[in-house]
Amino acid sequence: MTKQDRAVRTRLALIRSAAGQFEARGYVQASLAEISAGAGVSSGALHFHFANKAAVAEAVEHAAARALRRAAARGRDGDGCALQRLVDVTHQVARLLCADSVVRAGLRLNAEAAAGRVRDLRREWRECVDDLLAEAERQGELAAGVPPHRTGAVVLAATTGIEVLAREDHGWLARPSLTDLWQLLLPSLAAPHLAGALDPAGTRPGHVDADHAETGLSLANTL
Amino acid sequence: MTKQDRAVRTRLALIRSAAGQFEARGYVQASLAEISAGAGVSSGALHFHFANKAAVAEAVEHAAARALRRAAARGRDGDGCALQRLVDVTHQVARLLCADSVVRAGLRLNAEAAAGRVRDLRREWRECVDDLLAEAERQGELAAGVPPHRTGAVVLAATTGIEVLAREDHGWLARPSLTDLWQLLLPSLAAPHLAGALDPAGTRPGHVDADHAETGLSLANTL
């Protein structure tokens, strides 16, 4: 392994260790000593990569943002029924959160930071949801009288609630919660010709390992 | 005003000031000096009522719990259609949160405290939702194939999301968010004979002032 490879691996290990600490103890309680110990490196090695705790948190948040944007883009830019892609992208994001502590910790750090930040992942998620609902409306996939923007607010509220509840109990990210949500929402949302054609459990099988590998890749890309 | 009345008023003023500080700056950043200044009393007066910041937070949380339990009990113990009472109680809790910073701050302090606490307001809310859905099932108000417990999880997720999003933007607690949610959920939830008979906007007109006065009362009762 070259010196550069080792540096990349150390940085990744520090980001993963920090995510675990932030998730378990919160940003304020997390200590740099435990982050470096968790990554199996000296505190000198930590300080070679990161000036302080805020810099480690920024790296965790940045990695999470990349992974989440990638998952959202896959859903948004696909083809076929937009309403089904909306269902699918919620399941994909939940799988990503379920599989990867860096994504969970980074999303939480972002949400807890003061308002008015440049990078607002909830706002980006809302845009992804709204884009897919607007596309569904253009394609005649929505039932009469369903306002896309107000429906986007309901989807944002429900998915935000699942993410927040999952901080205490990861079971909320498992497939049934989202499937139950879509099972109740889709009959009101979908145009009659789509009745029965949409799958509330999502149409793309879970690729937790692939998602996880991709997050690793996106982490490497942040270096 | 008797000496005792003055003490009651000072304690209430401190609880309101603390709630404002916790809401605006978070528990960690809030300072006792600003809490006493906000209540218009000396720091000596604050320490007469509360040993430390944790004790003020406990009083805020306790007051919020009483007000929320009262609102939930009003919904749970009413009569008539249980599904409509579930819709109504969500609107009542939202109005309470909208009107009263003590309830907002107390609920948030409770949610952010470590897991495994004796007083878990989200768990109590889930029980209220589940009780009303179970009653709705017993009364034949649910559509065939709607599992009450899994539906309760969806309602908990959506209402938790609204509460969390409202921390940044109180507009989430205004009536349309919940009305939109119920407008989408009720057609799937309700038995066919109730179609059109349920009001997603709630059947009890808002009594924000009354709710607010009651919270004041419940605060006084905590003394």
Side-chain angles (χ1 to χ4, degrees):
Chain A
M1 202 183 340
T2 68
K3 205 169 165 183
Q4 208 184 349
D5 285 343
R6 269 201 302 279
V8 168
R9 281 180 187 236
T10 301
R11 199 184 140 99
L12 284 176
L14 285 164
I15 289 175
R16 293 229 165 265
S17 172
Q21 286 289 321
F22 293 148
E23 209 182 8
R25 317 191 52 190
Y27 176 75
V28 173
Q29 299 284 330
S31 80
L32 289 179
E34 279 167 306
I35 292 171
S36 54
V41 303
S42 68
S43 72
L46 186 149
H47 285 289
F48 172 79
H49 288 281
F50 301 107
N52 50 35
K53 190 158 66 167
V56 195
E58 164 60 25
V60 170
E61 215 186 298
H62 185 68
R66 281 182 68 100
L68 287 164
R69 284 173 187 154
R70 217 173 268 233
R74 268 202 303 264
R76 186 156 41 186
D77 304 337
D79 45 22
C81 173
L83 212 44
Q84 184 66 58
R85 270 152 53 215
L86 174 59
V87 173
D88 292 352
V89 79
T90 61
H91 284 290
Q92 273 158 12
V93 168
R95 274 198 296 271
L96 193 55
L97 284 165
C98 207
D100 198 323
S101 63
V102 175
V103 182
R104 288 194 300 273
L107 183 57
R108 181 168 183 174
L109 285 167
N110 183 262
E112 287 175 354
R117 301 189 58 183
V118 177
R119 184 199 291 146
D120 179 341
L121 296 174
R122 272 191 194 144
R123 187 178 46 67
E124 292 182 24
W125 173 238
R126 172 73 192 262
E127 283 165 8
C128 171
V129 169
D130 280 349
D131 285 353
L132 283 165
L133 283 167
E135 189 182 337
E137 191 188 37
R138 282 196 303 277
Q139 296 181 356
E141 295 168 13
L142 297 186
V146 168
H149 190 73
R150 289 165 66 179
T151 302
V154 170
V155 174
L156 178 67
T159 51
T160 298
I162 289 173
E163 183 256 317
V164 169
L165 291 164
R167 294 177 191 171
E168 300 295 328
D169 172 6
H170 287 185
W172 281 94
L173 293 171
R175 192 175 279 202
S177 322
L178 277 169
T179 303
D180 291 342
L181 172 70
W182 288 117
Q183 211 142 31
L184 291 173
L185 290 182
L186 286 176
S188 298
L189 279 184
H193 74 275
L194 287 172
L198 300 169
D199 186 349
T203 56
R204 302 187 197 184
H207 292 297
V208 170
D209 289 343
D211 281 344
H212 202 270
E214 177 148 9
T215 322
L217 183 68
S218 84
L219 278 171
N221 288 346
T222 66
L223 295 165
Chain B
M1 202 185 333
T2 67
K3 204 169 165 184
Q4 209 184 347
D5 284 343
R6 269 201 302 280
V8 168
R9 280 181 188 239
T10 301
R11 198 183 142 97
L12 283 177
L14 284 165
I15 289 174
R16 291 227 166 269
S17 171
Q21 286 289 323
F22 293 148
E23 208 181 10
R25 318 190 51 192
Y27 176 77
V28 174
Q29 299 284 329
S31 81
L32 289 178
E34 279 166 305
I35 291 170
S36 54
V41 303
S42 68
S43 72
L46 185 150
H47 285 290
F48 173 78
H49 288 281
F50 300 106
N52 49 36
K53 191 157 67 167
V56 196
E58 164 60 25
V60 171
E61 214 187 298
H62 186 68
R66 282 183 67 101
L68 287 165
R69 284 172 186 154
R70 218 173 268 232
R74 267 202 305 265
R76 183 155 42 185
D77 304 338
D79 45 21
C81 174
L83 212 43
Q84 184 65 59
R85 271 151 55 216
L86 175 60
V87 173
D88 292 352
V89 79
T90 60
H91 284 289
Q92 273 160 9
V93 168
R95 276 199 293 274
L96 193 57
L97 284 165
C98 206
D100 199 324
S101 62
V102 175
V103 182
R104 288 195 299 274
L107 183 57
R108 181 170 182 174
L109 285 167
N110 183 262
E112 286 174 355
R117 302 191 56 185
V118 176
R119 185 199 289 145
D120 179 342
L121 295 174
R122 271 189 196 148
R123 186 177 46 69
E124 292 183 25
W125 173 239
R126 172 73 192 261
E127 283 165 8
C128 172
V129 170
D130 280 348
D131 285 353
L132 283 165
L133 284 168
E135 189 182 336
E137 192 188 35
R138 281 195 303 276
Q139 296 181 357
E141 295 168 15
L142 297 186
V146 168
H149 191 72
R150 288 166 64 179
T151 303
V154 170
V155 174
L156 177 67
T159 51
T160 298
I162 289 174
E163 184 257 317
V164 169
L165 291 164
R167 294 177 191 169
E168 300 295 327
D169 172 6
H170 287 186
W172 281 93
L173 294 171
R175 193 173 282 201
S177 322
L178 276 169
T179 303
D180 292 340
L181 172 69
W182 288 117
Q183 213 141 32
L184 291 173
L185 289 182
L186 286 176
S188 298
L189 280 184
H193 73 277
L194 288 173
L198 299 169
D199 187 348
T203 55
R204 303 185 196 185
H207 291 298
V208 170
D209 290 343
D211 281 343
H212 202 268
E214 177 150 6
T215 324
L217 184 67
S218 83
L219 279 172
N221 288 345
T222 65
L223 295 165

